[in-house]
Amino acid sequence: MKIGIEAQRIFRKNKHGMDYVVLQEIKELQQMDLTNEYYVFVKPGEDHCVESSKNVHIIELNCPTYPLWEQWALPRAVKKYGIEILHCTSNTAPIWCDIPLVLTLHDIIFLEPRDRQQQKMSRYQDMGRTYRRFIVPRIIMNCKRIITVSNFEKHNIIDHFHLDSKRITMLYNSYDEAFCIQKNWERDITRYIDTPDYFFILGNTDYRKNTANMIIAYANYLKLSKIKRKLLITSLTKDYINQILSDNGINNIREQIVLTDYLPFSDLPSIYHHAFCFLFASLREGFGIPILESMACGTPVITSNTSSMPEVAGQDAILVNPEKSDEITEMMLRLETDKDFYERQRAVGFERAKLFSWRKTAENLLKLYHEVYQETHK
């Protein structure tokens, strides 16, 4: 088979969830499958995180915008290289595609109604949402197979598009093995924060990430805690944080919050490991890779009892109602005051993380490619 994999953004320096998913899948396929030919289509960037090998060809396509790259440059390249199956990995795909199409639809959050708070999306986020809302309904029926990343999301997609469940395959995400290697936990963190045992939030301006409510929970924690651990937040500006503090009348906690820019991937395991607790109380997730990353580094996670997060974290994890800041605060304090509970959560997390594997995901992905090929080449 000649398999094309769309991986437009994996060479960009500041990667995000979907970029890491396809990157890990490519790396696993590169190691385990030496028979089929792979053509990985990327946009030029600073971080050449995967290299061509005997049967894996990295093809750089230069195009000024995401839509033009996907709707014009990608179909031309697919035709040029004689691709027999195209796997688009980031929710969207070319509208005009005359070969069998596999689509990874991580979630359909972008199709759900927005409330007034969500109107605060950045222009970039809003343009991405508009593009996905336009493209996905137009390509969904053309897909030979749709991949999604949790059973929760699988049922959402089936219900929304009224699809036959046989057309949708659920393949769990996993986490990089770097988070399991103890030497990666000992990297110097002092350039980010001057003391370990902090609460940690991966910052994001998307409303569904619930950053404001977690900061409110932290403010309540500071009122009740005798220890008063600091809070480390990544990737958010001082202005953004100051606005949250001002809106909620909690400016007095600013000195307890440490802000840092986007964290290099190499430093993340150590940042997780040295944290006292990772806060990931999102309103909505299609999967939630950071839950597993933190667990693999031995750090308890407070996450949400909504959407896919209980499915990923397991029923023994700390699950809260993300809209109730007092529940988040209660668990922060319990971890701090109940040593047995804290150690139990560390142990539960270690064991839970072991259930997920990129190799297993890639094996099932390869099986799916074979099924699609056989169905379309009878």
Side-chain angles (χ1 to χ4, degrees), residues 128-373:
R129 181 177 186 271
T130 300
Y131 179 70
R132 290 189 292 271
R133 287 173 68 88
F134 177 81
I135 293 294
V136 172
R138 288 165 172 78
I139 62 172
I140 203 79
M141 294 305 173
N142 296 333
C143 298
K144 295 300 180 184
R145 221 43 125 255
I146 298 157
I147 298 168
T148 196
V149 295
S150 64
N151 284 307
F152 171 85
E153 208 59 53
K154 178 178 178 178
H155 295 306
N156 269 355
I157 294 167
I158 289 170
D159 291 345
H160 185 90
F161 291 106
H162 308 291
L163 297 176
D164 185 340
S165 61
K166 293 179 181 178
R167 294 185 59 207
I168 302 183
T169 300
M170 193 284 293
L171 298 181
Y172 279 135
N173 291 329
S174 186
Y175 57 95
D176 194 282
E177 64 179 10
F179 294 94
C180 302
I181 301 173
Q182 294 192 18
K183 68 179 182 181
N184 293 333
W185 301 349
E186 302 308 321
R187 291 177 70 95
D188 181 22
I189 63 164
T190 55
R191 61 186 176 278
Y192 302 115
I193 189 167
D194 60 6
T195 180
D197 284 339
Y198 43 84
F199 289 96
F200 177 42
I201 294 175
L202 285 170
N204 192 307
T205 58
D206 191 329
Y207 173 74
R208 69 185 171 90
K209 295 299 184 179
N210 205 28
T211 302
N213 215 29
M214 288 189 283
I215 292 175
I216 292 168
Y218 176 68
N220 293 331
Y221 155 84
L222 288 175
K223 291 178 184 178
L224 300 169
S225 170
K226 295 179 181 179
I227 299 176
K228 302 186 189 309
R229 289 177 162 88
K230 290 185 178 182
L231 173 63
L232 176 65
I233 305 178
T234 69
S235 305
L236 294 179
T237 64
K238 290 181 181 179
D239 288 345
Y240 186 86
I241 293 297
N242 289 341
Q243 189 64 56
I244 290 175
L245 299 180
S246 178
D247 289 347
N248 292 282
I250 51 176
N251 291 300
N252 60 306
I253 74 168
R254 180 64 187 85
E255 290 187 1
Q256 289 292 111
I257 297 176
V258 180
L259 301 180
T260 184
D261 294 335
Y262 177 90
L263 284 172
F265 180 81
S266 58
D267 288 341
L268 262 176
S270 186
I271 291 293
Y272 278 122
H273 177 69
H274 287 288
F276 175 76
C277 171
F278 176 51
L279 303 179
F280 194 76
S282 296
L283 298 174
R284 170 80 164 80
E285 292 287 336
F287 186 80
I289 292 174
I291 295 171
L292 298 179
E293 291 174 342
S294 184
M295 287 178 166
C297 291
T299 299
V301 183
I302 296 175
T303 191
S304 303
N305 60 7
T306 62
S307 62
S308 65
M309 286 167 279
E311 187 178 341
V312 176
Q315 292 304 314
D316 291 328
I318 304 172
L319 303 175
V320 298
N321 182 335
E323 298 187 77
K324 294 185 176 180
S325 59
D326 58 328
E327 287 194 20
I328 303 171
T329 301
E330 180 185 352
M331 289 297 103
M332 293 168 76
L333 290 166
R334 185 177 177 189
L335 284 169
E336 188 168 271
T337 57
D338 187 339
K339 185 176 180 180
D340 289 341
F341 178 67
Y342 186 86
E343 292 302 323
R344 190 160 61 249
Q345 288 304 314
R346 290 186 75 242
V348 164
F350 268 131
E351 293 306 310
R352 183 68 183 174
K354 291 176 184 177
L355 300 178
F356 296 83
S357 160
W358 282 123
R359 175 52 62 101
K360 189 186 304 181
T361 301
E363 287 172 351
N364 287 321
L365 182 58
L366 181 57
K367 181 181 176 183
L368 182 147
Y369 290 155
H370 280 289
E371 289 174 358
V372 171
Y373 184 84

Side-chain angles (χ1 to χ4, degrees), residues 54-173:
K54 183 177 179 181
N55 64 320
V56 176
H57 314 284
I58 308 300
I59 311 297
E60 294 190 20
L61 307 176
N62 208 346
C63 212
T65 67
Y66 190 107
L68 273 177
W69 190 98
E70 184 169 74
Q71 300 300 326
W72 182 77
L74 181 59
R76 284 167 57 91
V78 164
K79 185 174 181 180
K80 175 181 176 180
Y81 290 100
I83 303 303
E84 295 173 293
I85 294 173
L86 176 63
H87 179 190
C88 288
T89 65
S90 303
N91 293 335
T92 55
I95 293 175
W96 293 282
C97 182
D98 57 3
I99 64 167
L101 178 62
V102 174
L103 174 70
T104 298
L105 188 54
H106 293 264
D107 59 61
I108 54 170
I109 294 169
F110 55 87
L111 292 173
E112 296 168 357
R114 289 194 298 184
D115 62 25
R116 284 180 297 176
Q117 290 292 327
Q118 290 172 291
Q119 302 301 323
K120 297 178 181 178
M121 279 183 166
S122 70
R123 184 181 178 190
Y124 175 79
Q125 289 170 332
D126 196 51
M127 288 174 63
R129 181 177 186 271
T130 300
Y131 179 70
R132 290 189 292 271
R133 287 173 68 88
F134 177 81
I135 293 294
V136 172
R138 288 165 172 78
I139 62 172
I140 203 79
M141 294 305 173
N142 296 333
C143 298
K144 295 300 180 184
R145 221 43 125 255
I146 298 157
I147 298 168
T148 196
V149 295
S150 64
N151 284 307
F152 171 85
E153 208 59 53
K154 178 178 178 178
H155 295 306
N156 269 355
I157 294 167
I158 289 170
D159 291 345
H160 185 90
F161 291 106
H162 308 291
L163 297 176
D164 185 340
S165 61
K166 293 179 181 178
R167 294 185 59 207
I168 302 183
T169 300
M170 193 284 293
L171 298 181
Y172 279 135
N173 291 329

Side-chain angles (χ1 to χ4, degrees), residues 9 11-16 19-20 47 262-264:
R9 296 179 297 190
F11 277 9
R12 66 177 176 174
K13 187 176 178 181
N14 294 354
K15 296 179 186 41
H16 296 284
D19 310 330
Y20 282 117
D47 183 14
Y262 177 90
L263 284 172

